[in-house]
């Protein structure tokens, strides 16, 4: 019998991946969690039927959500990571010697438990002594923080279900206050191609732009996410993701990556015209 996992990328488009074996399923208080073994992508984690990570392409997402801000804001010491129970973002952050403390805030402890079992190579860094794991709602965690973090990474699910609050203006405002003066916020920013994702992208952009002095969108090619073209947001109180990139500094750290490099860093902020238009036009989208 053939087994296939199918995700709806739009009402009219479906994306299917052949499954060798379903490995695990659980309905947590927050969401449905599934793990599959697949011939093409290795192990794959889905939440509420949406692909979150596969062993084959997770490096693209985690390189882009971590190394882009780390090459702009130098010597980051204290980081807040929201979501990211799979450990991929933490793994990349732990490669920086400057990082002294990481608060990971994941609303669903079941995601961490399941990933520890099925993706041990990704979750290993959760045990790094610099990491504190908080099983809590990110929205609440950040509410009363002031001037504390050099970097906030919002590695959330989509803006419905448990991830919804992480796309609100209130949340972005609280993050602004939680950041130091030259702090940076990076988030997963949905996608521009299919209508529902594009609406979410626009909302996130408008809200971030209304809170932060600088907000720029950048892109990556992620094969297992809808349309294969995924976006990230870079927000700050002044640091510019291109002008303030210090390629020499980043290269001197000797961090070996499979996707990110400093040339790609400059290029990934150059967006296709239809995305610029959708974001409200102008160079400073
Ligand atoms: N975070 C989810 C990114 C958005 C996925 N959305 C989708 N497939 N519709 C991934 C977590 C990786 N640490």
């Amino acid at each position: 019998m053939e087994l296939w996992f199918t995700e709806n990328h739009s009402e009219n488009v479906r994306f299917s991946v052949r499954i060798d074996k379903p490995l695990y399923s659980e309905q947590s208080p927050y969401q449905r969690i599934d793990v599959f073994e697949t011939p093409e992508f290795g192990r794959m984690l889905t939440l509420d039927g949406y692909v979150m990570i596969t062993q084959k392409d997770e490096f693209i997402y985690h390189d882009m959500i971590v190394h882009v801000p780390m090459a702009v804001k130098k010597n980051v010491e204290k980081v807040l990571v929201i979501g990211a129970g799979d450990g991929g973002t933490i793994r990349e952050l732990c490669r920086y010697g400057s990082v002294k403390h990481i608060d990971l805030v994941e609303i669903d402890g079941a995601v961490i438990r399941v990933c520890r079992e099925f993706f041990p190579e990704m979750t290993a860094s959760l045990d790094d002594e610099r990491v504190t794991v908080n099983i809590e709602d990110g929205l609440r965690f950040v509410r009363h923080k002031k001037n504390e973090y050099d970097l906030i990474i919002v590695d959330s699910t989509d803006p419905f279900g448990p991830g919804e609050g992480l796309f609100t203006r209130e949340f972005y405002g609280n993050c602004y206050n939680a950041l130091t003066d030259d702090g940076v916020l990076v988030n997963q920013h949905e996608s521009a191609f299919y209508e529902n994702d594009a609406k979410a992208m626009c909302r996130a952009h408008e809200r971030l732009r209304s809170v932060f002095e600088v907000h720029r969108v950048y892109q990556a090619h992620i094969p297992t996410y809808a349309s294969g073209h995924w976006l990230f947001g870079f927000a700050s109180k002044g640091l510019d993701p291109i002008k303030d990139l210090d390629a020499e500094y980043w290269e001197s750290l000797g961090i070996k990556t499979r996707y990110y490099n400093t040339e790609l860093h400059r290029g990934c902020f150059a967006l296709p015209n239809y995305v610029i238009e959708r974001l409200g036009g102008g160079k400073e989208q």
Side-chain angles (χ1 to χ4, degrees):
M1 188 180 64
E2 278 196 358
L3 282 179
W4 291 80
F5 162 84
T6 295
E7 179 184 319
N8 291 346
H9 278 185
S10 82
E11 263 174 41
N12 307 305
V13 177
R14 289 177 177 174
F15 170 73
S16 295
V17 178
R18 189 195 291 277
I19 303 298
D20 284 328
K21 207 163 123 193
L23 294 175
Y24 187 79
S25 285
E26 170 178 346
Q27 178 66 46
S28 82
Y30 295 99
Q31 55 208 337
R32 185 186 161 104
I33 304 171
D34 290 284
V35 182
F36 303 99
E37 186 71 54
T38 81
E40 183 63 45
F41 292 104
R43 288 192 176 175
M44 176 167 90
L45 170 77
T46 67
L47 296 180
D48 285 339
Y50 291 95
V51 177
M52 293 293 124
I53 48 169
T54 78
Q55 284 175 323
K56 188 170 182 177
D57 70 353
E58 58 86 7
F59 72 100
I60 303 175
Y61 180 94
H62 294 118
D63 268 17
M64 292 305 276
I65 208 164
V66 171
H67 302 308
V68 170
M70 292 299 274
V72 175
K73 167 86 185 97
K74 289 184 272 186
N75 301 313
V76 163
E77 292 186 4
K78 194 162 180 191
V79 190
L80 171 61
V81 179
I82 297 180
D86 54 73
T89 295
I90 306 294
R91 176 194 66 205
E92 292 307 309
L93 281 169
C94 283
R95 302 174 72 192
Y96 289 82
S98 68
V99 170
K100 292 204 170 83
H101 185 81
I102 303 170
D103 273 316
L104 168 66
V105 184
E106 163 64 61
I107 197 168
D108 191 352
V111 172
I112 297 183
R113 171 171 39 78
V114 171
C115 288
R116 277 191 189 279
E117 185 174 349
F118 294 99
F119 300 89
E121 71 294 348
M122 290 188 67
T123 49
S125 53
L126 298 182
D127 299 321
D128 189 292
E129 58 189 19
R130 295 170 291 175
V131 179
T132 303
V133 177
N134 307 274
I135 307 298
E136 216 180 307
D137 182 357
L139 197 59
R140 279 186 47 185
F141 186 90
V142 78
R143 204 163 271 161
H144 303 293
K145 304 278 181 198
K146 297 265 174 300
N147 196 25
E148 208 175 312
Y149 296 99
D150 301 310
L151 173 63
I152 298 179
I153 298 184
V154 188
D155 182 1
S156 67
T157 50
D158 297 332
F160 41 80
E164 200 170 340
L166 305 179
F167 286 82
T168 57
R169 202 174 180 284
E170 180 204 348
F171 172 68
Y172 296 141
N174 290 331
C175 287
Y176 187 97
N177 296 333
L179 282 170
T180 54
D181 285 345
D182 56 355
V184 172
L185 175 143
V186 169
N187 69 334
Q188 80 83 0
H189 211 284
E190 300 292 301
S191 169
F193 196 75
Y194 295 118
E195 192 50 30
N196 283 342
D197 297 333
K199 280 192 186 135
M201 166 197 80
C202 289
R203 270 197 303 272
H205 178 58
E206 274 159 27
R207 289 173 188 166
L208 278 160
R209 192 161 56 169
S210 73
V211 170
F212 284 87
E213 281 82 358
V214 175
H215 184 249
R216 298 286 303 271
V217 171
Y218 62 101
Q219 59 186 354
H221 156 246
I222 302 182
T224 55
Y225 288 177
S227 85
H229 178 220
W230 209 255
L231 302 170
F232 298 87
F234 178 106
S236 79
K237 304 180 185 182
L239 277 181
D240 183 276
I242 298 176
K243 285 192 215 107
D244 294 308
L245 161 69
D246 192 336
E248 229 171 89
Y249 156 79
W250 192 80
E251 277 149 24
S252 77
L253 299 174
I255 294 175
K256 207 170 160 324
T257 44
R258 280 176 66 213
Y259 191 82
Y260 177 82
N261 60 56
T262 52
E263 270 302 293
L264 184 138
H265 181 124
R266 294 190 186 94
C268 71
F269 287 91
L271 299 175
N273 285 346
Y274 82 93
V275 182
I276 296 176
E277 271 162 33
R278 196 68 207 253
L279 289 170
K283 257 187 100 49
E284 288 302 311
Q285 19 53 46

